[in-house]
Amino acid sequence: MRLDKYLSKALGLTRKEAKEVIRRGEVTVNGEVIKKADYKVPEGATVLVEGRAVGSVGPVYLMLYKPKGYLSTTERDKDYPSFLDLIPEYEHLKPFAAGRLDVDAEGFLLVTTDGQLAHRITHPKWKVPKTYEVELEKPLTPEQEEKILKGVELDGKPVKVEKLEKLSESRVLLTLSEGRFHVVKRLFKEVGNRVTNLKRVKIGPIELDPALAEGEYRELTPEEVRELKKLVRLEET
Ligand code: URA
């Protein structure tokens, strides 16, 4: 990749600003000052601006605790703010959410720029389990539980529940390997109950970090990225 493009991607600069930084001689690549904007940055090179390492332009993987009232889409013209407003320093990289969460739902939003991983995490073929903590309007009856475990039909197709764990009379942990539109809410409605609070707490093997407060985020660790990739059979690059 050209050096000016590399810097504008990594630092969110316009191409003109990046060129200016390069022209001033502030940029080194593998220890050498580079003053040419069209210099081709070698794979894995160490790029410094004024002696400070420039963030990698490799894919970004963030665990964001989406609060209620935020969209999991990137549109800006809606009645609610986008999750992008919670991660302004990443916005220039154009990340998106791997799997939607309703505006009135909260919890783990996996934000990434890795299109292939996001695609596999959300595609039914890869059956990546997602776990939700669900609060219900009424206690879950044994009949309702049985119906859910048998597979409630939505859109003419049963919803396969991987796991249902009762936390109390009206709170459950529900694990599904599919992400149909409003699937959790529709599932409980279908059996005569109603979801009053929905929080995604786990995607694949990765749990929402309890250290994160609503609206906070952290990068996934390299180990977590590896686990996710392994789950959907993507090779580490
Ligand atoms: N099911 C829902 O009903 N809403 C979500 O946001 C996710 C799953």
Side-chain angles (χ1 to χ4, degrees):
M1 187 186 302
R2 284 172 57 117
L3 185 57
D4 55 351
K5 186 171 178 194
Y6 184 100
L7 290 180
S8 72
K9 273 193 153 220
L11 298 174
L13 305 175
T14 62
R15 200 63 85 83
K16 193 166 162 224
E17 288 164 340
K19 284 195 167 98
E20 186 58 20
V21 173
I22 297 165
R23 198 190 53 76
R24 288 201 298 260
E26 291 171 359
V27 184
T28 63
V29 180
N30 292 334
E32 212 185 307
V33 175
I34 304 292
K35 287 191 162 183
K36 279 167 67 189
D38 63 355
Y39 172 85
K40 184 138 185 345
V41 181
E43 198 78 31
T46 302
V47 181
L48 308 181
V49 174
E50 291 184 302
R52 287 211 313 268
V54 167
S56 141
V57 290
V60 166
Y61 304 94
L62 302 178
M63 171 190 293
L64 170 67
Y65 184 164
K66 184 188 96 66
K68 291 184 197 176
Y70 280 81
L71 296 167
S72 60
T73 54
T74 54
E75 291 124 313
R76 276 338 221 310
D77 55 345
K78 301 283 191 253
D79 294 340
Y80 297 95
S82 158
F83 75 89
L84 288 175
D85 293 344
L86 299 165
I87 53 163
E89 52 278 68
Y90 288 91
E91 185 166 353
H92 68 279
L93 297 173
K94 301 199 182 344
F96 44 85
R100 290 191 174 198
L101 259 186
D102 295 336
V103 69
D104 60 354
E106 58 179 315
F108 189 172
L109 201 64
L110 177 61
V111 176
T112 185
T113 51
D114 183 338
Q116 203 177 22
L117 183 77
H119 177 73
R120 293 201 183 181
I121 281 179
T122 51
H123 197 284
K125 174 180 164 191
W126 296 95
K127 297 192 168 54
V128 174
K130 285 119 192 158
T131 303
Y132 299 88
E133 201 176 292
V134 186
E135 279 178 34
L136 298 165
E137 188 178 50
K138 295 173 276 186
L140 185 74
T141 65
E143 295 76 32
Q144 291 175 350
E145 190 173 344
E146 199 189 316
K147 277 190 200 164
I148 288 174
L149 289 173
K150 263 173 101 178
V152 169
E153 243 183 54
L154 292 179
D155 321 310
K157 236 181 75 193
V159 177
K160 187 163 182 295
V161 170
E162 304 292 339
K163 199 167 168 202
L164 191 156
E165 188 186 334
K166 251 178 132 168
L167 299 173
S168 71
E169 287 292 286
S170 53
R171 275 179 66 231
V172 297
L173 270 183
L174 181 77
T175 304
L176 302 175
S177 297
E178 58 166 286
R180 273 187 263 174
F181 184 64
H182 290 170
V183 64
V184 179
K185 290 178 187 158
R186 289 197 292 150
L187 185 64
F188 285 98
K189 185 163 180 243
E190 196 62 30
V191 299
N193 212 320
R194 194 173 75 84
V195 172
T196 54
N197 198 58
L198 184 62
K199 177 178 178 183
R200 185 157 60 206
V201 292
K202 199 170 176 189
I203 298 178
I206 318 292
E207 292 197 32
L208 178 63
D209 192 331
L212 291 178
E214 285 181 39
E216 289 184 344
Y217 67 89
R218 68 163 172 81
E219 293 205 8
L220 290 191
T221 64
E223 180 56 27
E224 287 170 332
V225 174
R226 259 196 299 280
E227 282 185 56
L228 275 177
K229 286 190 169 180
K230 199 167 141 209
L231 188 68
V232 294
R233 284 190 244 134
L234 279 176
E235 294 301 317
E236 270 294 305
T237 48

